[in-house]
Amino acid sequence: MSVFVVIRAELTIYTSCEPCPMCLGAIYWAHLDCIYYGGDRTDAAAVGFDDDFIYREMAVPFS
């Protein structure tokens, strides 16, 4: 018989910017309790990290 026990404390992540869609998915899967970030996706786009096309694609309904 195998026994799997999960012991966890409150999980918080601090990051400089709003998570990209891939990182956000990992954060959801990890069941973090809280996330703090300094900048949002428009701040990231202003310095060349523009993943807004992914967010737009995620909003398109399935057909």
Side-chain angles (χ1 to χ4, degrees):
M1 174 192 273
S2 176
V3 178
F4 183 70
V5 178
V6 176
I7 300 173
R8 66 183 288 278
E10 183 177 323
L11 301 173
T12 301
I13 188 169
Y14 296 87
T15 181
S16 57
C17 194
E18 177 180 359
C20 72
M22 182 179 68
C23 294
L24 185 59
I27 290 167
Y28 280 135
W29 276 98
H31 299 283
L32 295 178
D33 298 304
C34 191
I35 181 168
Y36 295 98
Y37 57 88
D40 63 16
R41 66 181 91 158
T42 57
D43 297 326
V47 294
F49 187 77
D50 189 4
D51 55 4
D52 190 56
F53 69 96
I54 299 171
Y55 287 102
R56 288 193 311 268
E57 184 67 26
M58 290 170 36
V60 174
F62 290 112
S63 54

